[in-house]
Amino acid sequence: MAGKFELYFDDAKRYRFRLTGDDGATLMTSEPYSDKPTAVSGINGIRDCASTALIADLTDGDETE
């Protein structure tokens, strides 16, 4: 999968980023950031840990949903 991070301004003129899939679907959206370097740092943080992140299943184990 060749996703893409998109850095943009939200309606309040704060920086945000979203990760989109190769089909263009939004996979996640960031919190708002007050400046561009901090938003870019957030992107780099996601890049650094996402490939090795574990999955913690916090659901009640119901397999019907």
Side-chain angles (χ1 to χ4, degrees):
M1 179 173 164
K4 172 174 57 173
F5 285 99
E6 298 176 338
L7 186 62
Y8 65 96
F9 283 118
D10 64 14
D11 292 339
K13 297 296 183 202
R14 299 198 45 159
Y15 290 93
R16 286 186 185 258
F17 62 86
R18 65 183 151 240
L19 174 61
T20 60
D22 53 358
D23 63 353
T26 298
L27 303 175
M28 58 87 42
T29 302
S30 75
E31 63 186 358
Y33 294 91
S34 59
D35 59 73
K36 191 174 188 176
T38 306
V40 171
S41 179
I43 291 171
N44 289 329
I46 297 292
R47 283 179 161 169
D48 289 345
C49 75
S51 66
T52 59
L54 301 176
I55 298 172
D57 185 353
L58 304 179
T59 64
D60 64 3
D62 182 9
E63 300 293 327
T64 62
E65 294 184 27

